[in-house]
Amino acid sequence: MPQNFNLEQDLYNNYENFREKTLTHRRFNHSDILPLIEQLKNSKDFTVNKVGSSVEGRDLFLISIGQGEKKVFLWSQMHGDEPTATAALFDIFNFFSDSSFSDFKKHILSKVTLYFLPMVNPDGAEKFERRNFFDIDINRDAERLQTQEAVILKEVFDSLKADFGFNLHDQDPRHSVGNSFKSAAISFLAPAFNYEKDVDTVREKSILLIGRLTKMLNQFIPGHIAKYSDDYEPRAFGDNFQKWGTSTILVESGGWNNDPEKQFLRKLNFLLLISAFKEIADGGYKNETADTYDKIPFNDKYIFDLLLRNLTLNHNGNKLRIDVAVNFIEFVSKTDKTIYKRSFIQDLGDLSVFYGFQDFDFSGYEIQRGKVFTEKKINLEDIQTIDLYDYYSKGFTVLTSGDSIDGRFTDFPINISFRESNDSTNFLRIGAPADFVLLKNCKIEYVLINGFLQKVQNDREFLGNGIIYK
Ligand SMILES: [Zn+2]
């Protein structure tokens, strides 16, 4: 069995030529992909058909290319806030529109025909939410078919009876590969079609192809590939499509350090899907064994966004050794769409079995609550000019202001309070924001402003945001 992945190496190295440049982050919506679909309508290679519309009237399109006998059906973003693969599909359209790799493309398009249904849930995408207009999870509607987006997906599925199906999703970036200290960048699943998790010839093809794709991806992201839970879900599309005869592969884009917009994971989607087309065209996956799939570790949850290890907590003279785990949740400003983050203390205690995307050993450091500066109220416009070094070095993580301000977050590298009194009883409590100071030899060396670690020195760079307490 050939083990070289030269084609994939070429694709990996040349990806920039195909990346759809108008899609740069996760929060694009239907109006951003419409002009791209319009362009495809003018292409002689692609066929574009409107197959219906969402509850709020956004059109869904089936885009196809190829003349081959084997049919491959790919659908993305039935969960509105899971866009990574949608962006990758537009990269793939660019790949097929480009003049490079022409022999390869000619070959596979003579063997397979590809059908794409991007952004199944445009109404959810508009709000960057999982569910559709009715707050129904389309992926629990495969049997009952009450949402019109699910009806469209099922109708397209029935019209194609494809050989292979790709069910394209995103999962929480904080998934790990088993209990390893590696993030699950890509998680696969050959969905079960019954509670017994039997393997028939349809599911076996998914299993073999995933095994092959896992070997391929391991060249690029060794150890970062996991398996999604294989429990049977009778209401989900993947499980039913597998049951109804299409070899179905679930792809979940998870997490990669320093890739909050998942642009590297998007590239991996591009890579693995084109590699899959090759495998399906040539049948190379048939040489694989189920063993490779069986050995892929399952998704697990051993990652935090931030982990501070081995801190000392001094409580009335008793010293505790404590690890602190912090996660962030994103909020989007309604006015200018800026993304802000809110920190939450997620866990405390012995967290030695976990790890963090940001991971620090603070042995020898003491953790104390950040203080609220109440001596005087600071004008907001002055915050831009004052040097916060003084405040940090004295242990302040919150300033008070008398000005009124909209919103819940500030770009300033400090939290701001409009409260008359500030009780900070929720220091180091689960769910509380990560506002505290770290001392070494009784000197404050670091502050955490809403979970953003700042060294107490004059030349700082602040990439986070503070919280406004009202
Ligand atoms: Zn999903």
Side-chain angles (χ1 to χ4, degrees):
M1 175 176 49
Q3 287 291 334
N4 81 67
F5 296 102
N6 295 338
L7 168 82
E8 288 82 354
Q9 196 70 55
D10 274 359
L11 290 169
Y12 188 92
N13 293 337
N14 289 290
Y15 168 72
E16 270 306 302
N17 300 336
F18 312 116
R19 187 170 59 85
E20 174 47 53
K21 307 287 191 293
T22 64
L23 304 176
T24 57
H25 53 78
R26 286 176 300 148
R27 290 172 187 268
F28 60 86
N29 51 32
H30 187 253
S31 62
D32 295 310
I33 63 167
L34 268 187
L36 303 173
I37 294 172
E38 281 302 316
Q39 281 172 28
L40 293 176
K41 286 181 183 171
N42 301 324
S43 153
K44 62 175 173 33
D45 300 319
F46 286 96
T47 306
V48 180
N49 284 313
K50 180 182 161 182
V51 285
S53 54
S54 69
V55 179
E56 291 185 312
R58 297 185 175 91
D59 292 343
L60 272 65
F61 295 94
L62 185 67
I63 298 160
S64 60
I65 187 167
Q67 314 78 43
E69 197 184 324
K70 296 196 184 84
K71 293 179 181 172
V72 183
F73 177 33
L74 307 92
W75 60 99
S76 74
Q77 211 170 344
M78 71 165 83
H79 295 138
D81 57 352
E82 300 180 8
T84 303
T86 300
L89 295 186
F90 285 92
D91 302 336
I92 290 173
F93 300 152
N94 288 346
F95 172 74
F96 282 109
S97 304
D98 192 84
S99 58
S100 58
F101 292 89
S102 55
D103 289 345
F104 166 72
K105 290 187 294 194
K106 214 170 140 189
H107 169 66
I108 58 170
L109 293 178
S110 73
K111 301 275 189 184
V112 300
T113 306
L114 307 171
Y115 298 87
F116 304 88
L117 181 54
M119 199 184 273
V120 174
N121 180 9
D123 298 351
E126 200 71 14
K127 295 176 284 182
F128 204 67
E129 287 176 3
R130 177 181 178 86
R131 293 163 178 249
N132 88 332
F133 173 83
F134 294 110
D135 260 353
I136 293 174
D137 185 339
I138 295 168
N139 205 26
R140 298 292 177 269
D141 198 29
E143 277 285 351
R144 200 175 276 186
L145 294 174
Q146 293 304 293
T147 60
Q148 60 199 63
E149 296 87 357
V151 170
I152 294 166
L153 183 54
K154 176 69 160 54
E155 281 176 355
V156 172
F157 173 84
D158 287 341
S159 73
L160 297 177
K161 300 211 175 307
D163 299 279
F164 281 88
F166 285 85
N167 187 12
L168 304 169
H169 290 254
D170 279 83
Q171 66 179 9
D172 186 336
R174 291 172 289 240
H175 280 96
S176 54
V177 178
N179 64 355
S180 77
F181 277 17
K182 291 201 167 185
S183 65
I186 298 289
S187 294
F188 288 114
L189 178 70
F193 57 86
N194 61 13
Y195 286 108
E196 293 74 28
K197 304 181 188 180
D198 289 334
V199 178
D200 62 0
T201 53
V202 174
R203 188 171 178 223
E204 188 186 24
K205 286 182 190 167
S206 317
I207 286 171
L208 299 183
L209 180 51
I210 290 172
R212 183 70 182 154
L213 295 175
T214 299
K215 281 186 180 167
M216 186 279 291
L217 282 178
N218 253 321
Q219 312 282 308
F220 300 93
I221 50 165
H224 284 277
I225 300 129
K227 193 156 57 188
Y228 196 81
S229 163
D230 63 354
D231 289 341
Y232 175 57
E233 170 47 78
R235 303 168 299 165
F237 272 98
D239 307 52
N240 280 297
F241 283 180
Q242 192 89 281
K243 182 162 72 183
W244 298 330
T246 291
S247 297
T248 303
I249 292 175
L250 171 74
V251 180
E252 296 272 353
S253 298
W256 192 255
N257 202 6
N258 292 321
D259 186 25
E261 295 304 318
K262 299 201 185 190
Q263 297 301 298
F264 178 62
L265 300 182
R266 164 187 174 179
K267 175 176 174 173
L268 295 178
N269 270 262
F270 167 86
L271 187 67
L272 78 90
L273 291 174
I274 294 180
S275 183
F277 303 156
K278 180 195 74 173
E279 293 295 328
I280 293 167
D282 295 336
Y285 67 92
K286 292 175 189 163
N287 299 320
E288 199 54 68
T289 63
D291 196 44
T292 313
Y293 178 82
D294 292 340
K295 281 184 178 153
I296 303 172
F298 278 102
N299 271 340
D300 218 321
K301 277 270 187 157
Y302 282 88
I303 312 180
F304 298 109
D305 288 331
L306 171 66
L307 184 50
L308 310 172
R309 301 177 188 273
N310 299 314
L311 287 157
T312 301
L313 176 65
N314 191 336
H315 182 75
N316 300 334
N318 292 324
K319 287 184 175 171
L320 288 75
R321 177 175 157 198
I322 190 168
D323 304 327
V324 180
V326 177
N327 282 343
F328 293 94
I329 294 184
E330 283 184 358
F331 293 87
V332 182
S333 147
K334 285 204 172 67
T335 45
D336 64 357
K337 301 275 180 197
T338 308
I339 296 171
Y340 290 105
K341 290 182 175 177
R342 204 295 197 171
S343 63
F344 290 87
I345 294 177
Q346 196 74 35
D347 206 350
L348 295 163
D350 177 358
L351 305 179
S352 54
V353 299
F354 299 99
Y355 72 105
F357 280 126
Q358 298 180 77
D359 199 312
F360 301 98
D361 185 353
F362 276 112
S363 298
Y365 284 81
E366 182 181 340
I367 184 167
Q368 289 183 3
R369 74 176 64 208
K371 293 187 294 186
V372 182
F373 183 76
T374 52
E375 272 170 51
K376 75 171 200 234
K377 290 186 171 165
I378 312 279
N379 293 327
L380 287 176
E381 52 192 45
D382 292 340
I383 295 179
Q384 298 180 55
T385 53
I386 59 174
D387 187 355
L388 292 169
Y389 172 83
D390 275 345
Y391 294 90
Y392 291 160
S393 62
K394 289 169 187 152
F396 295 108
T397 56
V398 184
L399 301 180
T400 48
S401 178
D403 299 345
S404 70
I405 186 172
D406 287 338
R408 301 162 61 189
F409 300 100
T410 166
D411 292 322
F412 298 130
I414 190 104
N415 302 299
I416 298 171
S417 174
F418 295 94
R419 294 175 187 162
E420 283 306 314
S421 69
N422 277 282
D423 77 282
S424 37
T425 48
N426 64 348
F427 167 60
L428 276 193
R429 294 284 152 194
I430 302 293
D435 290 330
F436 35 76
V437 299
L438 308 180
L439 301 86
K440 192 166 195 180
N441 302 325
C442 302
K443 185 169 175 280
I444 295 172
E445 286 200 8
Y446 293 91
V447 293
L448 273 104
I449 306 292
N450 181 32
F452 294 98
L453 185 70
Q454 291 275 86
K455 196 162 181 24
V456 178
Q457 59 189 17
N458 281 310
D459 52 339
R460 297 173 317 269
E461 187 188 18
F462 187 74
L463 299 171
N465 61 266
I467 301 174
I468 293 170
Y469 295 105
K470 289 182 180 171

